[in-house]
Amino acid sequence: MTDTELRVSKIRDGTVIDHVPGGTALHVLAVLGIDGSGDEEISLGMNVPSDRLGRKDILKIEDRELSADEVDVLSLIAPRASINIVREYEVSEKSRVSRPDEVIGVLSCPNVSCITTGEEPVDSAFDVLDDGVRCRYCDTIVRDDVASLIEST
Amino acid sequence: MRHDHLIGAKQLSRTDIESVLDRAAEFDADPTAFADTRPDTLLALCFFEPSTRTKMSFDAAIKRLGGSATDMGSVDSSSVTKGESLADTMRVVAGYADGIVLRHPSEGAARLAAEFVDVPVINAGDGAGQHPSQTLLDLYTIRENAGLDDLRIGVMGDLKYGRTVHSLAGALTNFDARMHFISPESLALPRNVRFDLHESGAVVKEHTDLDAVLDELDVLYVTRIQRERFPDESEYRAVAGEYRIDADVLADARDELTVMHPLPRVDEIAPDIDDTDHARYFEQAHNGVPVRMALLDSML
Ligand SMILES: [Zn+2]
């Protein structure tokens, strides 16, 4: 076990999300719909030193595995994240996130005059570019700060 | 052209464009000779923003083809003011008509409308997004005056919010066109248009000053810089004044330069250009009818 991993407690069953860009762990929680009001047990390490990222965040979430949709959006804000599923204190599956082609209904368009921001019966839809996302309705491209587009539910 | 809807210029191939322009030329030669073409076709004109020429030219075009048009009327008098969604309005209108021409202040409106109806939707302007039928008549005008190959075109004015600019830039990537974009920095091309131009491999240059390129242009496409884009009157006046042309400015241009404008203009093209051989903007507006006849004929 490395020094970094010691900083946050071990979990029995759940998910460890590692190699998240430093300072963005709270966005990751937002993607997962976790705001602390439920009873999830969560350990967070923020801005811990990392060879690969300089500073990274690491999240450990008890009794929770991620859905495919959640992994898709996670990939947009943490493209180098790794996801370890833990069962009985052992890592039973390890995976890297991969970027999806599109993200439907998760992000909201930052363009205030985009038709999807009004009262229309459609989900938002973004195509994923190499370095950002693009609204399929109004064509707005967002490169930085994709996390800020996550719809609050 | 075989598309269910016309939403943006990006969907148009060179073949699509050329077939519409060729057909438009037939209509242009004798617009009154085609009244048997679409005798039973009813076109719905849904304009959620004021428009005179675009709406009138679609109206004229469908009537020249022997069809008819039904107009939603002004937004104040429609159910929109009662808070109905665009999706619902479009579903209802699609039950009345064989095709829908839609202008709307929100970007993406036509794309959304197309998802809810099974009649063709033509985007006649969606906010600061696209205006592809204008682009077809622009291309027709360019082809008539300068040709679409080996073209050097300057596009000047409000490039950020100008939907005619966005569509024209997208469509020109189908041709051998060297594109110059001339604007104040605050109104330069939006990121998505620049992205698509770059992806297409188009030859593009951006300038803040017309003088840098005027003498090499075949076509200068001028658009209006609107007062509401600026925080105050004095800043607007200072900037807009830099992107106005008159006969003096054009003294340095090639004799063959074609000057275009989607109209209406305010004062960005001085009246002293109107009587010169450069002025093609009224001819451009005239081309709206035959080109929209061709577009409707290919889609409905
Ligand atoms: Zn949008």
Side-chain angles (χ1 to χ4, degrees), chain B residues 125-267:
Chain B
D126 60 329
Q130 293 273 319
H131 193 356
S133 71
Q134 174 73 40
T135 293
L136 289 167
L137 73 92
D138 293 342
L139 294 173
Y140 185 83
T141 309
I142 294 169
R143 190 170 83 166
E144 296 275 287
N145 285 284
L148 282 165
D149 279 306
D150 193 22
L151 174 72
R152 287 156 299 174
I153 182 169
V155 183
M156 182 168 82
D158 182 349
L159 311 182
K160 183 174 184 184
Y161 299 99
R163 56 195 174 202
T164 64
V165 171
H166 305 160
S167 289
L168 181 60
L172 283 172
T173 61
N174 288 295
F175 300 92
D176 174 20
R178 184 181 291 267
M179 295 181 238
H180 295 276
F181 293 95
I182 306 130
S183 74
E185 260 163 48
S186 63
L187 295 176
L189 289 175
R191 190 182 265 182
N192 62 311
V193 174
R194 203 177 277 137
F195 179 90
D196 289 338
L197 287 170
H198 185 259
E199 290 273 290
S200 74
V203 183
V204 172
K205 285 197 172 136
E206 296 188 62
H207 314 267
T208 53
D209 189 357
L210 176 62
D211 289 344
V213 288
L214 177 61
D215 61 359
E216 61 176 271
L217 297 179
D218 302 310
V219 173
L220 177 60
Y221 190 99
V222 182
T223 65
R224 180 156 43 118
I225 292 179
Q226 290 175 311
R227 164 69 187 89
E228 59 263 34
R229 305 298 179 209
F230 292 87
D232 63 65
E233 184 72 25
S234 61
E235 193 176 330
Y236 161 68
R237 283 179 177 285
V239 172
E242 298 281 304
Y243 299 92
R244 226 165 256 156
I245 57 168
D246 57 21
D248 279 349
V249 171
L250 294 193
D252 296 332
R254 301 177 60 228
D255 291 343
E256 301 81 10
L257 174 73
T258 295
V259 174
M260 295 171 61
H261 191 298
L263 302 182
R265 69 171 156 175
V266 182
D267 56 2

Side-chain angles (χ1 to χ4, degrees), chain A residues 109-111 113-117 125-126 135-140, chain B residues 107:
Chain A
C109 186
N111 171 13
S113 66
C114 175
I115 192 74
T116 63
T117 63
F126 287 81
C135 176
R136 203 178 282 171
Y137 289 88
C138 75
D139 277 336
T140 295
Chain B
E107 288 94 61

Side-chain angles (χ1 to χ4, degrees), chain A residues 68-106:
Chain A
D69 272 358
E70 288 169 337
V71 174
D72 278 355
V73 181
L74 176 62
S75 74
L76 299 178
I77 59 177
R80 302 170 76 178
S82 57
I83 297 173
N84 298 328
I85 297 185
V86 177
R87 296 191 182 112
E88 285 297 324
Y89 298 109
E90 298 295 330
V91 173
S92 71
E93 285 172 40
K94 249 180 175 338
S95 61
R96 285 286 190 81
V97 299
S98 65
R99 289 167 82 78
D101 295 332
E102 58 176 24
V103 180
I104 309 293
V106 183

Side-chain angles (χ1 to χ4, degrees), chain B residues 274-293:
Chain B
D274 296 357
D275 295 327
T276 70
D277 289 339
H278 298 303
R280 288 287 178 263
Y281 26 93
F282 295 114
E283 173 188 326
Q284 181 187 358
H286 159 92
N287 292 336
V289 175
V291 170
R292 288 185 171 112
M293 287 171 77

